[in-house]
């Protein structure tokens, strides 16, 4: 079972366990001590299965237990004897007490989608599917997602058939930087926009270079996070809902690149005698600004 289908494995709970261990001695703690600190009995008295328990019976801590189980299953944490610890095999920056929390969304992204984690394949397909939708007309609520899944006849493929799964997808995609939300006519709406993820990973995607072709950028992006064009999960999704036009990027990827250019992080260029890719705008319209061959990184901002 993936985090998508484990409703109590919320990103904030898994992050809370990680943050505590990040600064603990040896980045480890006795499991019972960890539970008592992060999920004291007073907080779980309202849980139905705890209401009738005798005083000498151990309380149930479902939120903590589910978050811990999923953290161990995705290999963010490990369990040895009666202790829980941060996985020492993670990259050094990921477990650095000064950097680990800030890098955690990218650590999760790698562990979920780029490490051959079979448990999270359903989650990967759902995220890739949502990012493949037209950002200018994407389903923004649970009801709209259910309707589109039904319309595209991909319920069995995505294994996503309830609004509860949308809530979990929504929470995680926002935390990982693949989406954001706003309120429209009094209702919360989600937008599949990966700008935040792109911005965090520009240094890795350019890998010491200032300028690369857009094809190289997309290839590197797909390798780092296979939810995007040419990546494993996106390819599986497009096989179900139809592929993009030749050389076209999805509108969500294009939108993110245009945003990064507007914010001064990158510059999009079309250089003569170079092959280009097409970045469509609303209604799949393309103008001269959307025919791009190279991307220039402006460097890290202070």
């Amino acid at each position: 079972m993936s985090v998508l289908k484990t409703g109590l494995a919320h990103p904030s709970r898994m992050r809370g366990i990680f943050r505590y261990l990040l600064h603990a001695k040896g980045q480890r703690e006795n499991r019972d001590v960890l539970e008592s600190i992060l999920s004291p009995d007073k907080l779980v008295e309202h849980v139905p299965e705890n209401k009738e328990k005798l005083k000498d019976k151990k309380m149930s801590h479902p939120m903590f237990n589910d978050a811990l189980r999923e953290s161990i299953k995705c290999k963010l944490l490990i369990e040895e004897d009666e202790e829980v610890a941060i996985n020492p095999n993670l990259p050094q920056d990921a477990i650095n007490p000064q950097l680990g929390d800030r890098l955690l969304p990218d650590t999760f992204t790698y562990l979920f989608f780029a490490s051959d984690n079979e448990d999270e394949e359903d989650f990967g397909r759902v995220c890739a599917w949502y990012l493949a939708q037209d950002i200018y007309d994407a389903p923004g609520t649970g009801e709209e997602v259910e309707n589109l899944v039904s319309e595209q006849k991909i319920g069995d493929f995505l294994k996503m058939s309830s609004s509860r799964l949308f809530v979990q997808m929504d929470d995680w995609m926002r935390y990982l930087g693949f989406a954001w939300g706003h309120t429209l006519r009094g209702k919360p709406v989600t937008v599949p926009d990966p700008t935040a993820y792109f911005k965090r990973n520009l240094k890795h995607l350019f890998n010491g270079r200032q300028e690369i072709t857009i094809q190289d950028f997309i290839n590197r992006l797909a390798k780092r996070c296979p939810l995007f064009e040419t990546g494993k999960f996106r390819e599986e999704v497009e096989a179900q809902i139809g592929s993009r036009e030749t050389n076209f990027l999805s509108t969500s990827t294009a939108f993110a690149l245009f945003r990064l250019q507007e914010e001064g992080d990158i510059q999009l260029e079309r250089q003569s005698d170079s092959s280009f890719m097409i970045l469509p705008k609303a209604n799949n319209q393309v103008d001269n600004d959307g025919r791009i061959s190279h991307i220039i990184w402006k460097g890290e901002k202070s």
Side-chain angles (χ1 to χ4, degrees):
M1 186 177 292
S2 69
V3 294
L4 178 66
K5 297 176 182 177
T6 307
L8 297 181
H10 191 274
S12 65
R13 296 186 185 116
M14 293 172 69
R15 180 189 179 199
I17 297 173
F18 178 79
R19 288 182 66 182
Y20 176 87
L21 292 172
L22 197 60
H23 298 280
K25 183 178 180 180
Q27 296 191 328
R28 60 178 55 242
E29 184 62 88
N30 175 274
R31 190 196 187 286
D32 289 340
V33 171
L34 187 64
E35 180 183 82
S36 68
I37 292 172
L38 298 180
S39 181
D41 286 349
K42 194 68 177 175
L43 289 181
V44 295
E45 288 179 346
H46 67 285
V47 175
E49 57 200 272
N50 287 332
K51 288 183 177 179
E52 298 180 2
K53 284 193 174 180
L54 300 175
K55 290 184 178 180
D56 60 342
K57 296 290 185 179
K58 180 175 171 59
M59 290 278 194
S60 176
H61 298 257
M63 291 181 287
F64 172 82
N65 289 334
D66 281 6
L68 179 62
R69 184 182 67 250
E70 293 301 322
S71 297
I72 293 171
K73 196 165 66 173
C74 76
K75 299 183 180 179
L76 177 70
L77 308 178
I78 59 173
E79 192 167 21
E80 297 177 329
D81 298 324
E82 297 180 356
E83 289 191 324
V84 176
I86 290 178
N87 185 350
N89 294 321
L90 292 173
Q92 286 303 302
D93 282 350
I95 61 178
N96 182 315
Q98 282 70 51
L99 301 174
D101 184 46
R102 178 167 59 84
L103 296 177
L104 187 57
D106 291 327
T107 303
F108 273 130
T109 299
Y110 169 75
L111 293 173
F112 289 160
F113 309 127
S115 63
D116 297 320
N117 185 344
E118 293 183 0
D119 287 330
E120 300 301 338
E121 288 190 346
D122 289 350
F123 185 28
R125 293 186 189 102
V126 166
C127 291
W129 171 78
Y130 198 52
L131 288 167
Q133 304 309 308
D134 182 359
I135 192 174
Y136 301 101
D137 190 34
T141 66
E143 181 181 359
E144 290 174 355
V145 165
E146 286 193 56
N147 290 340
L148 188 58
V149 167
S150 176
E151 179 185 322
Q152 294 181 347
K153 297 181 173 58
I154 53 170
D156 290 341
F157 169 71
L158 293 180
K159 300 178 182 178
M160 182 177 179
S161 58
S162 74
S163 58
R164 181 182 65 80
L165 295 183
F166 169 77
V167 171
Q168 192 73 346
M169 177 201 82
D170 186 43
D171 288 340
W172 272 104
M173 288 192 72
R174 292 192 194 197
Y175 176 68
L176 298 176
F178 300 135
W180 53 271
H182 65 104
T183 300
L184 181 65
R185 292 188 288 275
K187 292 185 178 181
V189 175
T190 302
V191 179
D193 171 14
T195 302
Y197 177 81
F198 285 12
K199 185 186 286 281
R200 289 198 315 263
N201 285 277
L202 287 174
K203 180 178 180 179
H204 298 286
L205 294 170
F206 280 83
N207 193 28
R209 299 181 61 184
Q210 183 183 12
E211 178 182 311
I212 57 176
T213 67
I214 192 166
Q215 186 63 66
D216 281 344
F217 180 88
I218 294 301
N219 291 341
R220 294 177 185 188
L221 178 64
K223 184 176 181 180
R224 188 167 183 83
C225 181
L227 305 179
F228 295 101
E229 287 86 335
T230 75
K232 168 188 172 181
F233 294 111
R234 183 65 69 91
E235 296 275 87
E236 291 179 5
V237 165
E238 291 184 349
Q240 297 290 324
I241 66 173
S243 299
R244 292 164 285 112
E245 294 183 56
T246 303
N247 291 333
F248 272 63
L249 295 180
S250 62
T251 53
S252 65
T253 296
F255 185 86
L257 291 174
F258 283 131
R259 273 193 67 186
L260 290 174
Q261 178 169 249
E262 289 179 4
E263 293 170 7
D265 293 292
I266 62 172
Q267 182 176 328
L268 303 172
E269 288 191 349
R270 181 179 179 183
Q271 298 180 7
S272 60
D273 300 324
S274 297
S275 58
F276 60 88
M277 300 192 79
I278 296 173
L279 281 60
K281 296 181 179 178
N283 299 315
N284 225 33
Q285 295 298 306
V286 180
D287 55 27
N288 287 333
D289 293 338
R291 294 177 172 86
I292 304 300
S293 64
H294 288 75
I295 304 180
I296 298 172
W297 180 37
K298 298 295 189 67
E300 292 184 277
K301 296 180 179 179
S302 57

